[in-house]
Amino acid sequence: MKSSSRWLLAFGITIGVLVIAAIALVLTIGGAREAPLLSEDTPEGIVQRYFKALQAGDYMTAYSYLIPPASEKYPYQEWRSPFISSGEKPEWKVTLGKSAVRGSEATVDVVVDIFRPGGPFENPVRTQHVTFFLKK
């Protein structure tokens, strides 16, 4: 075997080992991790639970965090998430921002990133900034 062929074979084997190692590393590290559940007696914890209920499709629970609560006049089945259009099931991520507590009222800023595939010239991420106004 020629010297150049041996070097080429060794280079090919090295590249193959690196590719296999990279794939194994990606598979063992794991995907997205769940954020720890915040305390329910904090404004951030309430907003987190609201979004977790939305993500799980439990609209009755999500709606229970809003005012007015579900009633016969506005049943929860008719309510849709303001972040998801009817019939869609995109991936999304919520990031908690600043929060402020003033007496029995609080505000919590969040950033909602909605990931959905689009055309080749469309941005696949839509970002919404939302402020939640909470009352004890």
Side-chain angles (χ1 to χ4, degrees), residues 3-15:
S3 175
S4 61
S5 295
R6 278 187 254 150
W7 278 105
L8 186 59
L9 181 63
F11 183 73
I13 290 172
T14 303
I15 294 295

Side-chain angles (χ1 to χ4, degrees), residues 100-107 134-136:
V101 178
R102 288 176 203 90
S104 64
E105 296 181 354
T107 59
L134 306 169
K135 200 172 207 178
K136 270 190 175 180

Side-chain angles (χ1 to χ4, degrees), residues 15-67:
I15 294 295
V17 168
L18 288 174
V19 167
I20 291 171
I23 291 171
L25 186 62
V26 167
L27 293 176
T28 57
I29 286 179
R33 295 191 178 125
E34 284 274 330
L37 197 57
L38 301 173
S39 176
E40 194 171 12
D41 62 353
T42 65
E44 297 86 356
I46 294 298
V47 172
Q48 183 187 39
R49 282 172 170 72
Y50 166 76
F51 278 106
K52 283 191 164 292
L54 276 183
Q55 191 173 36
D58 185 0
Y59 298 114
M60 183 63 156
T61 300
Y63 197 81
S64 72
Y65 290 111
L66 302 177
I67 297 174

Side-chain angles (χ1 to χ4, degrees), residues 110-115 123-130:
V110 298
V111 177
V112 181
D113 294 314
I114 303 166
F115 307 96
N123 185 354
V125 180
R126 188 178 80 202
T127 301
Q128 292 184 356
H129 299 270
V130 181

